[in-house]
Each structure stands twice: as C-alpha cells, then as structure tokens.
Amino acid sequence: MLVLENHDQPKPYDAVRGGQLPPPVGGVVLGGLAGVKHRLSSSVNEHRIAALRETLNYGDAGLKIVIKICQSETGPVQRAACDLLRQRLNSIAHEKLQAFVASSSDAEAELDSTEKILKHSSGAVSEKNYDRQMSEAELIFETITQQMQPNLLLLEALVASVEREEFTSELMNLWELLILEIQEPLKELRQAVGIAISAQLRIQWLYNQAESQANQWQQRALLAFQTQDENSVRLAVVRKQVQLDQAAELKIDLDYQTVRVENLNRNLLALESKIAQANSKKEILKMQLHFAKVQQQIDFTFSQVNSIFFSS
C-alpha cells in the first residue's frame, strides 16, 4: 500500500520555495505535496510534466492526482500522466504477482476478524440490539472498504491509463489478480449490508406490531363502550396509548435506520459499479487483443498467398 504521512512536509527530494521567478523545469518549489501541486498548476507543459514525475513519491495522494490528470486532460501532460501510471503499474504488477505466488499456499489462513464478527452477527436480532447490529454492520463496511482502497485505486489507474497498445500480459495478470482479490471482501460487504437490512426489517416488524396492537385495543375500547364497561374502556384506552407511544418511538428509529441502510446500499452499488466498469474494460481490451492477433494472422496468410501467386 502506497501511503505516506505528512505529505505536505518537506522531503529529502524537496527544496524551499525561493523568489517569484518561474521555477526551472527540473526544480522543486515549496515543500512536500503542496509544492508539487503548485507546479502542476503552471501553464507551462514542461513544468507540469516535471512535477508529475515527483507526484508518485507521495503515495496514494499522489497517485490520485496522476489518475485525475490522466482521466480529465488531453495533450502532452495527459500522455505523460498515463505513461507514468503504466510504468508504476508494471512495477507494482511484478511485485504483486510475485507476492501472490509466494502466498498462494497459505490460502486456508485463519478467518479475518471482520469475518468472525459477521459470523457472530448472523443470528436473530433481539428487540434491544437492532441498533447495535446496525452499527456493527456499518463498522464492518467501513473497515473492509478501507482495506480495499489500495486495490481499488490500482484498478482505477488501470482503467484510466491502459489502452490496447499498452495492455501487456503483466498488466492483464495484475488486473485479473486485483479483481480476484476484491471478490471476497466484496462478498463480506454484501453480508454486512444484509445484516443492516435484517436489523431494519426487525424494527419495521416491531413498528407494525405496535400499530396493530394499538388498533386491537381501539376495537376493545369500542366493544367495552358498547357494553358500558367503563373499567374495560379505560384499560383499553391506556393500553392503546402505550402502543401508540411505542409505535411513535419505533417510527423514529425506523426512519433513522432506513437512512443508514440506504446509505450502505448506495455505497455498495457505487463500489460494484466501479468494479464492473474495470472488469468490463479489461474484457474489451482482451477481446481487442484477440481480434488484433486474428487480423495479423489473416494479413500474414494473404501476404503468403500473394507471394506465391503473384511473385515473378
């Protein structure tokens, strides 16, 4: 994971900002990531390209900047950003693929703590712990999402920078490995959302029950009134009010938990969409490579035929 703290603090490769003259192409102004951002705002392409080469010294924060330039700009700076991303991705691919081969024998490792929490949380929700279970699901979702961020960032870099001409076998393997590594945590995210939904449904059921019982006490009060049983009328009215008060409290909880579930669902759908986009582009690139190879074979065959029949 490419994370460095205090990105805005000067690094060994930084210099202190001097006068107001334009910086030299290879120079560094200000300190840390702030200096790099300052140079990237220049109107001179050479200055921006030189700053780009230092951006990746600042971990994930720098990587996001390069991805954004690759996605949103055109011209020489955009091409330099994409080239830089591909160089970094090729380097990461070599390391990550080697690490994957080395660790493949340990696939049956101990359950992750989040998985243990999920297994522990899979039982029925009692009336008193639905809020705790909702909070637990949110915590699991946030924790797993944070763990996935390095791989998601690399996928985003691949989607932004790789075209057919640069889709090497190493990048293809990295792409497929990243998607493979994301599948298990994605499954855990779906389980966490399922837990949240089950807690929400439990509150909905309790709310419906309270309303139903309030209606039943209302009917009993009417029957008691018809028989002129004042004690029963008073009891039924009191019980009805208790149920209405309980329903009102549950409705507040239900509305709150519904918002929380919708937020989890929205985040999950956005994540799945990003992964689907990455997977779709990978398959398109693979198909393009396949047809390019087929076309090469056809062209070669025709050239051979032409050389046989039309040679002097």
Side-chain angles (χ1 to χ4, degrees), residues 42-312:
S42 170
S43 59
V44 182
N45 285 341
E46 288 79 3
H47 293 175
R48 300 186 69 207
I49 292 171
L52 271 174
R53 298 190 185 104
E54 298 165 21
T55 306
L56 294 182
N57 291 327
Y58 297 93
D60 289 354
L63 184 58
K64 289 176 182 178
I65 293 173
V66 181
I67 291 172
K68 184 177 180 181
I69 292 173
C70 190
Q71 288 175 326
S72 61
E73 297 196 21
T74 58
V77 177
Q78 187 256 4
R79 289 193 295 272
C82 290
D83 288 342
L84 193 61
L85 280 180
R86 285 191 291 272
Q87 291 172 19
R88 177 55 62 92
L89 288 168
N90 273 306
S91 174
I92 292 172
H94 182 69
E95 297 174 4
K96 201 168 183 68
L97 293 170
Q98 279 189 330
F100 176 75
V101 172
S103 63
S104 59
S105 59
D106 300 326
E108 299 299 325
E110 225 177 84
L111 283 173
D112 184 79
S113 59
T114 53
E115 289 185 73
K116 292 178 180 178
I117 293 174
L118 282 168
K119 287 181 178 292
H120 177 72
S121 304
S122 60
V125 186
S126 71
E127 293 184 16
K128 296 182 180 180
N129 74 357
Y130 54 74
D131 186 70
R132 177 194 60 78
Q133 196 157 4
M134 183 74 74
S135 298
E136 194 172 79
E138 289 175 325
L139 176 61
I140 293 170
F141 195 96
E142 181 182 358
T143 301
I144 296 175
T145 302
Q146 288 177 353
Q147 292 170 354
M148 294 172 70
Q149 283 309 309
N151 282 348
L152 292 173
L153 197 56
L154 292 178
L155 273 180
E156 190 176 356
L158 283 163
V159 171
S161 65
V162 178
E163 299 300 332
R164 192 186 77 185
E165 293 76 13
E166 297 87 14
F167 196 39
T168 63
S169 60
E170 195 162 44
L171 288 180
M172 185 188 301
N173 290 335
L174 173 62
W175 208 320
E176 291 178 345
L177 177 58
L178 290 174
I179 291 176
L180 177 66
E181 288 183 347
I182 281 172
Q183 294 311 305
E184 186 59 32
L186 186 61
K187 178 182 175 182
E188 293 183 5
L189 289 180
R190 290 172 181 143
Q191 289 176 322
V193 173
I195 290 171
I197 291 173
S198 70
Q200 178 199 22
L201 291 176
R202 176 62 178 174
I203 304 171
Q204 180 72 63
W205 182 84
L206 291 171
Y207 170 70
N208 292 343
Q209 284 291 102
E211 278 208 322
S212 175
Q213 290 182 22
N215 290 334
Q216 290 177 17
W217 283 113
Q218 172 69 14
Q219 294 300 320
R220 292 184 184 183
L222 290 174
L223 289 174
F225 180 77
Q226 290 173 1
T227 60
Q228 298 183 350
D229 186 347
E230 295 183 4
N231 288 334
S232 296
V233 170
R234 283 195 294 270
L235 176 63
V237 169
V238 169
R239 292 291 181 86
K240 171 192 170 184
Q241 191 58 49
V242 168
Q243 293 300 323
L244 288 175
D245 291 344
Q246 185 177 350
E249 291 179 8
L250 286 167
K251 185 62 168 64
I252 294 172
D253 280 348
L254 178 60
D255 290 344
Y256 177 50
Q257 307 299 5
T258 299
V259 170
R260 295 167 77 179
V261 168
E262 287 174 351
N263 185 55
L264 286 175
N265 260 324
R266 185 166 51 251
N267 291 338
L268 178 61
L269 288 173
L271 188 59
E272 289 179 328
S273 176
K274 183 181 292 187
I275 295 169
Q277 178 191 5
N279 202 31
S280 176
K281 181 170 183 181
K282 174 179 67 70
E283 293 305 316
I284 290 171
L285 289 171
K286 286 173 69 175
M287 189 178 300
Q288 288 176 342
L289 282 175
H290 171 73
F291 284 124
K293 290 178 181 178
V294 170
Q295 188 61 49
Q296 285 177 353
Q297 292 173 350
I298 293 172
D299 292 343
F300 176 76
T301 301
F302 272 106
S303 67
Q304 292 292 95
V305 171
N306 287 335
S307 65
I308 293 171
F309 287 97
F310 298 101
S311 60
S312 53

